[in-house]
Amino acid sequence: MIEFLLFLVLVIVLGWPLGRYLAAVMRGAPMRSDFLFRWIERPIYGLLGTRSETGMSWRGYASAFLLSNLLLALAVWVIFMTQAWLPLNPDGIPNMSWDLALHTMVSFLTNTNQQHYSGQAQLSYFSQMTGIVGLQVITPVMGLAVVAATLRGLFGGRQAGMSQVTGDSTVAIDVGNYWTDVTRATLRFVLPLCLILSVLLTSQGVPATLQAGPVASPIDAPAEFKEQKIPLGPVAPMVAIKQLGSNGGGWYGPNSTVPLENPTPLSNFLELLAIALIPVSIIFMIGAFTGRKKFGAMVFGTMLTLSVVSMGLSLWSEAYNTASDSALMEGKEVRLGADASALWAAATTQVNNGSVNLMLDSAAPLTGMVAMSNMLINAIWGGVGCGLQQFIVYLLLSVFIAGLMTGRTPELFGRKIEGPEVKLLAVLVLWQPLVILGFTAVTLAVPGLAGNSNPGFHGISQVFYEYTSAFANNGSGFEGLGDATLWWNVTCAFVLAAGRYPALVIPLAIAAMLARKRRAPESSGSLQVETPTFAITLIGIVVILTLLQFMPVLVLGPVADHLALMPLLAR
């Protein structure tokens, strides 16, 4: 409980000034550090063929976002399939198969880091440092850039055009410059934080080297196992961006349960704090970035409430079950304990981080259900940028529903939410269950596809969790699956992309559509979204949408698993 409270206090205390600083970075406001960064940024803009002050329409912004993703996808896919012939491969790691390389590339391109491979055994140093860490740095910033453009659109664009007066839908709305947003956020915000955390982790014993790992002779080695190669590498820099960037993919297969990746209680707390630091900073950014402090406070209060409830349920579930049967410590790192494992599991699924310091397959069933619910909501802090983007979807839906309930025309900040916007919102709401439940049903129905270790209720949870994690761009896994197969690699690659790109681009389009409409003055008759009453309404709509769409599979999976376990715990 002390660690839980300390975590909340520190993430808020550190997140508030970071959020204000991030708002200045994304606004392009004059800063004292300009003399340091401009000489780095100007050549980058020259290479990209853009001017930092040039604005883009939402279509231009989305096109630049998708184009950059496509170019990165092709480059990284080739690296993974040719790593055996590339430099920085002292351990002689072979090339990846095309389907595993495809899944790995899409996974890291979508800021998910779902791993169907074991990093220390199947990726060279070059692949880890370029394909993996490179995407871990740039892809969260891409999400942050898109949400910044969406916020600009919701409040009329960077420069209010004639559409604000005439309501002319043909006037393009300036939502910012994609290349400028990505460059500034990367150099001025993400990389400095990564450098600080990397140094702190190195001080705790996390490796940071380009040398090959040493070979040790086990004391009780059997005849066929006379030596063990200890994998090292530049682990600390990867762990830093893995945690700060809502990535989660570890250098080692077992992730942050490995002592080399997470050696001490302090390193465990630093990595836990890093999970939520940037997402919380983005929420604090809202008030300063938009000039609507009450709106930022409403978003923060809503997310904080959902976060505390989620963490509380996770801690209760794990403590209750582990106290009832010590055998449930299986799969949890004993040097950390059940409470630290439960807190990490809740945080990593609230934030789309996906890193683990326990095997979720070994968690209590209800702990697993909390993790699934966090990912289905996908807006409790959420990933870097994409969490707030999903929250905006819930916000627009809540405004529309609340307007219908009160008999008022649904409006957000003086702009009407009408048929075209609602249709796009409906697409996003229906897309999630269609993709997740569809693939889950097919995988469970066809014998041999799942490759799960448990064919009962727990087996349903294993398959459902894998697709939910992919769609939510989380990356954590229940494990217990033989997921390094053609079926899992290809289908999860599709689900990863399906969960990422519509959820980022469609809200941006809706924001631009709203920005082109005539803005009506807000009055006492307008729906007030910056109030506790609306926040409660929003939370209710989020919970109802999640539970109603996925209640059957949650009952058949973790709830049934928990009920089956109850007689054993009662002994």
Side-chain angles (χ1 to χ4, degrees), residues 5-224:
L5 295 176
L6 184 61
F7 166 76
L8 285 179
V9 170
L10 282 179
V11 81
I12 292 172
V13 169
L14 295 174
W16 185 77
L18 282 174
R20 294 180 63 84
Y21 171 72
L22 181 58
V25 170
M26 301 310 290
R27 285 201 314 266
M31 306 175 72
R32 294 180 180 178
S33 58
D34 283 345
F35 75 94
L36 175 64
F37 288 106
R38 279 179 177 168
W39 70 272
I40 305 175
E41 293 171 349
R42 285 173 179 168
I44 295 175
Y45 298 145
L47 288 173
L48 294 171
T50 188
R51 299 181 63 182
S52 60
E53 65 275 10
T54 302
M56 294 180 173
S57 67
W58 81 265
R59 287 186 176 85
Y61 204 99
S63 297
F65 166 65
L66 295 174
L67 175 62
S68 63
N69 277 252
L70 177 61
L71 295 177
L72 285 171
L74 295 174
V76 173
W77 194 15
V78 170
I79 288 174
F80 291 157
M81 291 190 294
T82 60
Q83 62 180 354
W85 311 319
L86 298 175
L88 293 176
N89 188 13
D91 296 324
I93 304 295
N95 295 329
M96 273 189 170
S97 63
W98 74 267
D99 57 304
L100 182 57
L102 174 68
H103 174 267
T104 305
M105 175 273 292
V106 177
S107 179
F108 283 82
L109 184 70
T110 56
N111 193 208
T112 307
N113 294 202
Q114 188 180 57
Q115 294 174 289
H116 289 176
Y117 67 93
S118 189
Q120 75 275 19
Q122 292 176 273
L123 284 179
S124 68
Y125 289 1
F126 185 83
S127 292
Q128 293 268 32
M129 295 169 63
T130 57
I132 299 299
V133 177
L135 290 181
Q136 284 182 324
V137 171
I138 198 67
T139 56
V141 178
M142 290 173 172
L144 172 59
V146 173
V147 81
T150 303
L151 287 174
R152 294 185 187 112
L154 285 178
F155 290 92
R158 196 164 58 169
Q159 295 175 347
M162 287 302 294
S163 63
Q164 308 303 304
V165 179
T166 65
D168 183 2
S169 61
T170 63
V171 176
I173 301 299
D174 178 1
V175 296
N177 186 299
Y178 172 76
W179 307 109
T180 302
D181 288 342
V182 170
T183 302
R184 287 177 63 89
T186 301
L187 296 177
R188 298 174 183 241
F189 186 71
V190 174
L191 288 181
L193 287 177
C194 288
L195 177 61
I196 294 170
L197 182 57
S198 178
V199 171
L200 291 174
L201 291 175
T202 303
S203 73
Q204 295 300 298
V206 180
T209 178
L210 293 177
Q211 296 180 354
V215 177
S217 299
I219 296 176
D220 56 347
E224 67 277 6

Side-chain angles (χ1 to χ4, degrees), residues 396-430:
L396 293 169
L397 282 171
S398 299
V399 169
F400 178 71
I401 294 172
L404 295 179
M405 292 171 62
T406 58
R408 299 176 181 176
T409 301
E411 291 182 356
L412 180 64
F413 306 128
R415 295 180 174 86
K416 295 181 180 180
I417 300 175
E418 298 175 302
E421 296 83 26
V422 175
K423 290 177 182 177
L424 289 175
L425 291 172
V427 168
L428 285 177
V429 171
L430 296 174

Side-chain angles (χ1 to χ4, degrees), residues 254-257 318 328 330-333 336-338 340-346 348 355-364 367 477 479:
N255 212 271
S256 289
T257 58
E318 206 56 53
L328 291 177
E330 182 275 328
K332 304 176 182 69
E333 180 56 56
L336 301 175
S341 298
L343 181 58
W344 189 299
T348 197
S355 65
V356 294
N357 70 352
L358 83 159
M359 290 298 101
L360 290 167
D361 188 56
S362 301
T367 306
E479 303 311 329

Side-chain angles (χ1 to χ4, degrees), residues 239-260:
V239 175
I241 187 57
K242 147 194 157 180
Q243 298 300 88
L244 286 168
S246 298
N247 290 296
W251 187 280
Y252 301 100
N255 212 271
S256 289
T257 58
V258 179
L260 286 171

